[in-house]
Amino acid sequence: MDRRNKILNESIWKLMLTLSPPGILGMAMVALNSLIDAFFVSHLISSYAFAGVSLTLPLSTVNSALTSMLSSGASVLYSRSIGSENEGLKPRLFKHLLLLVSVSSFILALLGTFFAEHFLQFLGAQGKSLEYGSSFYKLSVIGYITSMLGLCTSGLIRAEGNISYAMKITGIAVVLNILLNPVLIKYTHLGIQGSALATILSMAVYSALNIRYFLKEKGLMPKLGRSTLDLHFAVEILRTGLPSFFMQINGFIRQFVLFRLVAMSSVGLPALATFSAIYRLFSFAALPVLGILQAYAPIIGINWGAGQTERVKKAIGVFRLGACLLMTCMALPGLLFPETMLETLVSPDKLLPNGALSFRLVLLILPILPLASTSIVFLQATGHSNTASRLTLGREFLLFLPILLLSVKLWNYQGIYYGLLLENAVYILIVYTVALRTMKRAFQGHLSTS
């Protein structure tokens, strides 16, 4: 039975249990890869180099947001085409994705090459950290096409349900980056640029292996020349992926505001240490749900494309239940032993006395977090990207900022945690309600046209 037939006919529970673990492991490897550059730069060069590389992270958010938009937009359309057996869409989609990646990466490379110092100075870089950061970023942006192309084509592989293959290719790139970093930094005397070059080379191999999959195993090469470019189709890819773009940008806004509020509090260094530990532990605990969504998205998209609305309904229920149970398990250690968890990252004398309470407040939202994420993916996968975009775009300005600022005004530093709990709960309720109403209309419309 091929992957399409499995996704259309096998038990939803079985699909979730077989497709989710590779997705979770793949996300863990991506998270590990993001730490590799910083680790080697810090240990093999200097703390100034580490600071310079760290200051490029906000700039890389733009690349991540564009990549996420292109990857999710193309992947959703690809899943639907598999479900509807629209073979003509595949080479057309691949050709437009290559064009969009090339144009986007070229623009980012130009901006980064000519304005790297200005961007980093705006973020507070100066002296040696500015010098190291600029050198690292200028070379990194030149290689953005390799990372964008690799991640977007990997998204297409996952969109057809071949998550295990995508994970293996990701593993090859991560191992290669680990091996190349110390060699290029220390033994070829490239220093900070060696770290950037290691990432570029590993992502180039990543891209090449993914492209080989489509050109050789999927036989797209002879079909690419026959497909024509269409501006409206390119816009459809961007429009479908726009919610993912907004979520990435929102993440940057959220990090900036939260760390600024913590830094401005009167509690000082213990507040920053406590919040940083809580933020990192929460992010790690929430990571597995992203792996589950990698399995969830193609199942929704392919079944929707095939007109199997009842199976889509069942998949939503099964994946929501599975994801909520997993998030409950991830939250339990922190809820039961908050001090022990926090002290793995920060020494007890640097933690605030109410750090355990703050950690528990943040973790309370984790078990129901998948209700929002699965809803957003459903809206994207079924052609309701405009609704998903409005929800993700409006979140930061209509909910996050007002609630956080009011909470901090009422409860000072502790208000950050009360505000995060309240804002997440309200957002989940709104997204769940909107998605539920949209589902009812979408299922009725799908049935009437079938």
Side-chain angles (χ1 to χ4, degrees), residues 19 33 52 68 99 149 185 203-204 238 242 290 303-304 309 342 360 444:
L19 295 180
N33 195 50
S68 183
L99 176 65
L149 191 56
I185 290 174
M203 294 307 288
L238 297 174
L242 201 57
L290 299 177
N303 280 282
W304 185 263
T309 53
L342 290 171
R360 282 179 169 139
Q444 289 171 357

Side-chain angles (χ1 to χ4, degrees), residues 94-113:
F94 199 77
K95 189 170 187 175
H96 283 78
L97 182 61
L98 290 176
L99 176 65
L100 290 170
V101 166
S102 299
V103 172
S104 301
S105 59
F106 179 72
I107 294 172
L108 289 176
L110 280 180
L111 292 173
T113 300

Side-chain angles (χ1 to χ4, degrees), residues 330-347:
M330 294 300 293
L332 279 176
L335 291 171
L336 296 175
F337 312 106
E339 294 91 351
T340 304
M341 297 291 292
L342 290 171
E343 288 170 12
T344 60
L345 296 178
V346 182
S347 59

Side-chain angles (χ1 to χ4, degrees), residues 52 55 76 93 110 132 138 180 237 246 259 261 348 363 372 390:
L55 283 168
V76 166
L93 178 64
L110 280 180
Y132 280 120
K138 282 182 177 180
L180 287 176
I237 294 174
F246 287 140
F259 278 96
L261 287 174
L363 287 175
R390 286 193 291 269

Side-chain angles (χ1 to χ4, degrees), residues 320 375 378-379 430-443:
R320 276 182 173 167
S375 296
F378 166 81
L379 293 172
I430 292 173
V431 171
Y432 181 80
T433 303
V434 171
L436 188 62
R437 292 177 179 176
T438 306
M439 284 178 196
K440 290 179 180 178
R441 292 195 300 269
F443 289 138

Side-chain angles (χ1 to χ4, degrees), residues 1 29 108 139 161 178 195 227 250 256 270 281 286 288 317 319 328 338 354 362 364 399 404-405 414:
M1 187 185 294
M29 287 190 291
L108 289 176
L139 184 54
I178 293 173
S195 180
S227 61
N250 287 352
F256 178 80
L281 289 171
F319 271 85
T328 301
N354 58 354
V362 172
L364 283 175
L399 289 178
L404 257 290
L405 293 176
Q414 194 62 28

Side-chain angles (χ1 to χ4, degrees), residues 340-409:
T340 304
M341 297 291 292
L342 290 171
E343 288 170 12
T344 60
L345 296 178
V346 182
S347 59
D349 60 302
K350 294 293 191 299
L351 288 170
L352 290 175
N354 58 354
L357 171 63
S358 302
F359 190 27
R360 282 179 169 139
L361 285 173
V362 172
L363 287 175
L364 283 175
I365 207 66
L366 203 57
I368 62 171
L369 203 60
L371 296 179
S373 53
T374 54
S375 296
I376 293 294
V377 171
F378 166 81
L379 293 172
Q380 281 187 279
T382 57
H384 299 87
S385 295
N386 289 338
T387 302
S389 295
R390 286 193 291 269
L391 288 169
T392 53
L393 180 62
R395 178 182 186 179
E396 305 307 312
F397 300 102
L398 300 179
L399 289 178
F400 176 71
L401 287 175
I403 291 176
L404 257 290
L405 293 176
L406 179 61
S407 298
V408 170
K409 185 175 182 179

Side-chain angles (χ1 to χ4, degrees), residues 159-170:
E160 61 181 39
N162 199 354
I163 300 172
S164 295
Y165 182 87
M167 180 204 65
K168 291 174 185 176
I169 302 302
T170 301

